[in-house]
Amino acid sequence: TGLRAGLVRTAIDQTVFAPVLTSVVFALLGLIEGKTPMQVYKLLRGTLKTAVVSGWKLWVPANLINFSFVPP
C-alpha cells in the first residue's frame, strides 16, 4: 500500500481496465436488447468516451483511496 502504489494501480485500472470493461458491458447490453453488431459498434463509438470520462470522476478518487490505504 501507500500513495505511490495507489497512484500506479489507479492509473492502470482507469486507463486499461475501465475502457475495456465498459465496452464489454455496453456491447452485451446492446446485444441483449436485440441490436445488431453494427448498432452496438455505433453506440460504443458515440458513448464510450463520455462514459469512461464520467466514470473517472467517481472511480479515480475511490480507487485511489482504496488502493492507497486499504490493505490487500
Side-chain angles (χ1 to χ4, degrees):
T1 60
L3 187 57
R4 184 173 180 184
L7 287 169
V8 171
R9 290 176 181 167
T10 299
I12 292 170
D13 180 71
Q14 294 301 305
T15 58
V16 177
F17 297 116
V20 171
L21 294 176
T22 303
S23 297
V24 169
V25 169
F26 280 20
L28 290 175
L29 285 174
L31 294 173
I32 289 170
E33 291 172 352
K35 294 182 177 159
T36 66
M38 184 54 73
Q39 289 172 318
V40 170
Y41 173 75
K42 288 179 182 178
L43 174 71
L44 286 172
R45 287 197 42 109
T47 59
L48 182 63
K49 181 179 178 182
T50 302
V52 170
V53 171
S54 295
W56 287 344
K57 294 173 186 175
L58 171 69
W59 293 112
V60 168
N63 283 337
L64 185 58
I65 292 167
N66 180 41
F67 293 143
S68 298
F69 303 110
V70 177

